[in-house]
Amino acid sequence: MNHTKPKLALALGILCISIFPILVRLHLTDGLISAFYRMFIAAVFLLPYVFISKRFQLPECRYLLLSAVCGMIFASDISVWNFAIQHSSATQATLLTNLTPVWVGMGSFFFLKNKPSANFWLGTIVALFGMLVLVGFDIFIQFKVDLAFVFAMISGMLYASYIIISKSVLEKMDVLSFMSIVLFSSSLVLAIVCWIAGECFSGFSTTAWLVLLVQGIVCQLIAWLLISYATQHLRATRVSLSLLSQAVLTTFLAWIFLGEMMSWDRIVGAVFLLLGIRITFYNKPLWIKK
């Protein structure tokens, strides 16, 4: 099968989600309510379309429940991720959450038909080293094993669970129907979480509403339709490791739009990270067997 379209979709999807941290750093709304509107706005745009166009296909009960579970996991991941960032450094939380490829590799080994290749594990090691260089070795030395540390680890595991479960579900469902269920269930869960947390659902500035609209349409709806399509046709391990490249794109965008420093260590880290991803997509072993 020609994987050019899924790879292109994955690249474009990663570009779309790379914009999200830049928008969050504007601090126009609280993290949890931003997460809710990201999912809710995407649902508002997608659900009417799939029902009016009759593109929604009700799956078997098993896959309906698994799709809903994916939405709940995604919502839980966002909630846990916000807690980790609010109670530790964003860099530490980012590094721990980006252990996702390791969890996906382990999960794929036990639960999916396509087992991780040797190239995947080699690429993961190279990519994680690049991520470590990108965020700085000093952050690794200053790690604090506290509740935020645990929540950041849980966030990575939830993210991995979402990718693994969605991979198995998308083998039996179309992308639009799957995303419709995911967005509905995750919006519902996040609405409940925001209500319990006492978040305000209105009273934002015009700029804040515009940013929320971009998050919902670009960073969630378009991005995850593309990534779900890629997940449907590519190995879950490759998708998970490729998602690390959003750190490179976010760093580049922050340099352009926020004026953040672009140092040589960040460039070297980005090169290693992208090299690790490339190794994963190389089908033949990188060493010659005797």
Side-chain angles (χ1 to χ4, degrees):
M1 177 182 176
N2 189 346
H3 287 156
T4 301
K5 288 184 178 180
K7 289 178 181 178
L8 180 60
L10 180 59
L12 292 175
I14 291 172
L15 176 61
C16 289
I17 60 176
S18 298
I19 301 171
F20 183 67
I22 305 300
L23 299 177
V24 170
R25 290 181 196 179
L26 297 176
H27 299 291
L28 297 175
T29 57
D30 289 337
L32 273 179
I33 202 67
S34 173
F36 163 72
Y37 275 112
R38 170 179 166 176
M39 307 304 292
F40 179 71
I41 290 173
V44 166
F45 275 85
L46 180 62
L47 293 181
Y49 168 74
V50 296
F51 284 111
I52 293 173
S53 64
K54 299 181 179 179
R55 298 289 298 274
F56 182 80
Q57 299 176 8
L58 188 65
E60 297 177 14
C61 183
R62 175 188 176 187
Y63 296 107
L64 174 63
L65 290 174
L66 285 175
S67 299
V69 167
C70 279
M72 295 176 189
I73 290 174
F74 202 101
S76 301
D77 177 30
I78 294 176
S79 301
V80 169
W81 166 251
N82 273 277
F83 179 90
I85 289 180
Q86 290 170 358
H87 294 82
S88 69
S89 71
T91 307
Q92 174 177 313
T94 299
L95 184 58
L96 291 172
T97 300
N98 280 321
L99 290 174
T100 297
V102 177
W103 310 128
V104 171
M106 294 174 65
S108 298
F109 180 80
F110 288 108
F111 301 111
L112 297 182
K113 294 179 181 178
N114 289 326
K115 308 302 181 185
S117 64
N119 284 359
F120 165 75
W121 292 114
L122 177 60
T124 297
I125 293 172
V126 174
L128 289 178
F129 173 77
M131 176 64 71
L132 187 58
V133 175
L134 188 66
V135 302
F137 286 102
D138 55 326
I139 298 297
F140 180 76
I141 296 173
Q142 297 170 11
F143 265 13
K144 295 180 180 179
V145 182
D146 51 14
L147 189 59
F149 179 99
V150 174
F151 271 48
M153 292 285 286
I154 292 174
S155 175
M157 294 178 185
L158 287 170
Y159 204 5
S161 300
Y162 174 85
I163 293 173
I164 292 172
I165 297 174
S166 65
K167 173 63 179 176
S168 61
V169 173
L170 284 167
E171 291 177 351
K172 304 294 182 180
M173 285 182 64
D174 66 286
V175 172
L176 287 177
S177 299
F178 171 75
M179 282 300 300
S180 298
I181 299 170
V182 167
L183 290 175
F184 177 80
S185 60
S186 59
S187 297
L188 183 60
V189 170
L190 283 169
I192 295 172
V193 170
C194 288
W195 178 71
I196 294 174
E199 293 284 341
C200 181
F201 287 83
S202 60
F204 309 128
S205 66
T206 303
T207 304
W209 281 115
L210 180 61
V211 168
L212 289 173
L213 193 64
V214 173
Q215 289 179 13
I217 296 175
V218 177
C219 304
Q220 183 59 42
L221 181 57
I222 296 176
W224 282 97
L225 281 175
L226 290 167
I227 294 172
S228 295
Y229 171 76
T231 302
Q232 193 175 45
H233 295 89
L234 299 174
R235 291 185 179 184
T237 49
R238 288 178 172 177
V239 172
S240 67
L241 193 60
S242 297
L243 287 171
L244 290 183
S245 62
Q246 65 182 289
V248 177
L249 291 172
T250 299
T251 301
F252 182 71
L253 292 173
W255 173 54
I256 295 176
F257 296 107
L258 300 180
E260 293 191 2
M261 183 180 65
M262 177 63 76
S263 58
W264 279 107
D265 55 338
R266 287 191 170 189
I267 295 174
V268 171
V271 170
F272 271 98
L273 197 156
L274 295 175
L275 176 62
I277 295 172
R278 179 65 187 91
I279 290 172
T280 301
F281 278 89
Y282 194 73
N283 292 319
K284 296 180 179 180
L286 294 178
W287 52 85
I288 300 174
K289 294 182 180 180
K290 294 183 179 180

